[in-house]
Amino acid sequence: MNPEGDIPSPLQTPVLFLVFNRPDTTEKVFDAIRAAKPSRLYVASDGARANQSGEAEIVNKVRKISTSVDWSCEVKTLFQKENLGCKKAVSKGITWFFEQENQGIILEDDCLPHPDFFVFCENLLAHYADNEHVWAITGDNFQKGQKRGEGSYYFSRYNHVWGWASWRRAWQKADMEIRFWPEWKKSSAWQIFWEDVVARRYWEKIFNRVHRAEIDTWDYPWTASVWYLGGLTATPNVNLVSNIGFGQNSTHTDSKKSPFANMPTRALGRIKHPSAVQRDLEADSYTFNYHYGGINRRFPRSMLSLTRRIVRYINRYLKQRIQ
């Protein structure tokens, strides 16, 4: 592979497409996959819910859309007969994928990638194939245009999954039940991992609920597993994937007003690798504060509002004195 980032066409890296009951977004994402022309496509779909009238027909429509391959491609499917729910259906799909592939790209039916996303993932999957410190490659960037480091990407502890890639070596270590959590959260290692008390409390609440099986999702257990075993995620310096699934039909992203809905994507260009595999502390701090809402936990909205009023009052007072 060219170290500058060029890859052959069609895409040689296999793609796992996770779908369910959203034909509109599925079609858009499938068109992006079609443009990349992967040589191997895996499609995993949860089964329709028995209590949702008409959903079986919609699920079948989605399955047809996501397998309508018109290029040279090997297609494999994992279609559940019954509804397993988000956590089991997705995690089983990813496990099935990595049982057959050493590495690959993973897209859900509402994550629309820029063409450079595929280039980025294929390049880095090869570049870090044997680096045990790197667990994932994400297409997501929530830095609002701030460039981190000297390369085309930086390393983060946050393994965003709106379009990502990984290796069998990493996924096979994931514990969807996070059985390690009760002991880890009491350890000094967890305290050291999160010197930021606000962030520590935020994630403790989430992982407590995950461990009690109160949240039907796979991505929090995956995140906890990556953190527990010290993994890092390569993160592009531009956003390469747009989540087009915000709305009433989504499972976890139900607000169209979210600043993270339909985020624009940009070309990454030639890939420049950073000189070291090292977490960007400033970027991660920004991510927690402005993506996960940490800033509002440090400074309640009422306090922020009061501060703004005081600043406006002082500005008016100073203007009057000058006049």
Side-chain angles (χ1 to χ4, degrees):
M1 178 170 292
N2 189 317
E4 292 182 331
D6 292 337
I7 63 170
S9 181
L11 183 71
Q12 299 303 304
T13 302
V15 173
L16 169 63
F17 193 21
L18 299 162
V19 302
F20 181 38
N21 66 351
R22 309 185 71 181
D24 54 341
T25 61
T26 298
E27 189 166 15
K28 292 177 182 177
V29 178
F30 183 75
D31 283 344
I33 295 172
R34 174 188 282 120
K37 295 181 171 61
S39 57
R40 298 188 301 287
L41 176 64
Y42 294 75
V43 182
S45 169
D46 199 3
R49 292 166 291 187
N51 62 348
Q52 295 293 319
S53 177
E55 187 168 76
E57 289 76 12
I58 297 174
V59 168
N60 287 333
K61 180 179 180 180
V62 165
R63 292 176 178 181
K64 183 175 180 180
I65 292 170
S66 57
T67 55
S68 297
V69 169
D70 55 5
W71 68 95
S72 179
C73 177
E74 179 184 1
V75 180
K76 295 185 180 182
T77 60
L78 179 66
F79 292 165
Q80 302 294 342
K81 294 180 179 180
E82 298 179 352
N83 185 266
L84 301 181
C86 180
K87 179 179 179 179
K88 288 184 179 180
V90 173
S91 61
K92 282 181 178 291
I94 299 172
T95 298
W96 165 71
F97 180 52
F98 284 122
E99 285 173 347
Q100 301 170 81
E101 301 286 352
N102 287 320
Q103 60 188 34
I105 295 169
I106 302 166
L107 283 165
E108 294 188 62
D109 57 11
D110 57 358
C111 298
L112 184 61
H114 186 281
D116 281 6
F117 167 74
F118 298 101
V119 179
F120 179 62
C121 289
E122 181 151 276
N123 185 285
L124 268 63
L125 282 170
H127 193 75
Y128 295 106
D130 300 319
N131 191 318
E132 296 289 336
H133 297 293
V134 184
W135 276 51
I137 301 153
T138 181
D140 306 317
N141 179 287
F142 301 113
Q143 299 294 309
K144 293 187 177 179
Q146 300 174 95
K147 187 177 186 296
R148 306 296 186 178
E150 80 282 9
S152 300
Y153 58 95
Y154 66 93
F155 289 97
S156 171
R157 71 171 29 152
Y158 292 108
N159 55 312
H160 306 294
V161 293
W162 292 349
W164 59 292
S166 189
W167 300 264
R168 176 192 294 167
R169 62 166 171 80
W171 180 259
Q172 66 185 2
K173 298 175 185 176
D175 179 358
M176 287 295 109
E177 309 308 320
I178 60 171
R179 285 168 288 230
F180 54 81
W181 172 240
E183 182 177 350
W184 189 34
K185 75 174 180 179
K186 297 177 183 178
S187 70
S188 58
W190 175 248
Q191 307 295 315
I192 294 171
F193 188 85
W194 282 119
E195 294 181 355
D196 183 338
V197 177
V198 175
R200 186 195 310 155
R201 289 173 179 169
Y202 173 87
W203 290 106
E204 281 177 352
K205 289 180 181 178
I206 290 175
F207 293 155
N208 283 340
R209 294 188 63 202
V210 170
H211 190 259
R212 294 194 299 263
E214 294 176 358
I215 306 178
D216 179 33
T217 189
W218 63 277
D219 51 350
Y220 284 147
W222 168 234
T223 294
S225 298
V226 173
W227 290 357
Y228 180 61
L229 294 169
L232 292 175
T233 295
T235 307
N237 262 313
V238 299
N239 187 48
L240 294 174
V241 180
S242 180
N243 190 315
I244 59 173
F246 282 75
Q248 62 181 3
N249 293 326
S250 63
T251 303
H252 299 293
T253 52
D254 59 358
S255 174
K256 290 184 179 180
K257 296 180 180 179
S258 170
F260 309 113
N262 302 301
M263 287 176 57
T265 58
R266 288 175 50 199
L268 182 65
R270 289 293 183 110
I271 296 173
K272 179 183 178 182
H273 299 293
S275 57
V277 177
Q278 185 174 354
R279 183 167 76 94
D280 192 308
L281 302 179
E282 186 175 351
D284 278 0
S285 177
Y286 186 89
T287 295
F288 178 71
N289 282 333
Y290 296 100
H291 182 64
Y292 293 105
I295 194 70
N296 294 325
R297 290 173 172 80
R298 300 182 204 285
F299 305 100
R301 292 185 183 276
S302 58
M303 183 179 296
L304 288 173
S305 177
L306 176 61
T307 301
R308 293 191 185 101
R309 290 200 299 271
I310 292 173
V311 170
R312 287 198 296 267
Y313 175 81
I314 292 174
N315 287 337
R316 287 198 299 269
Y317 174 76
L318 290 176
K319 288 180 180 179
Q320 291 174 356
R321 289 294 300 270
I322 293 173
Q323 293 172 353

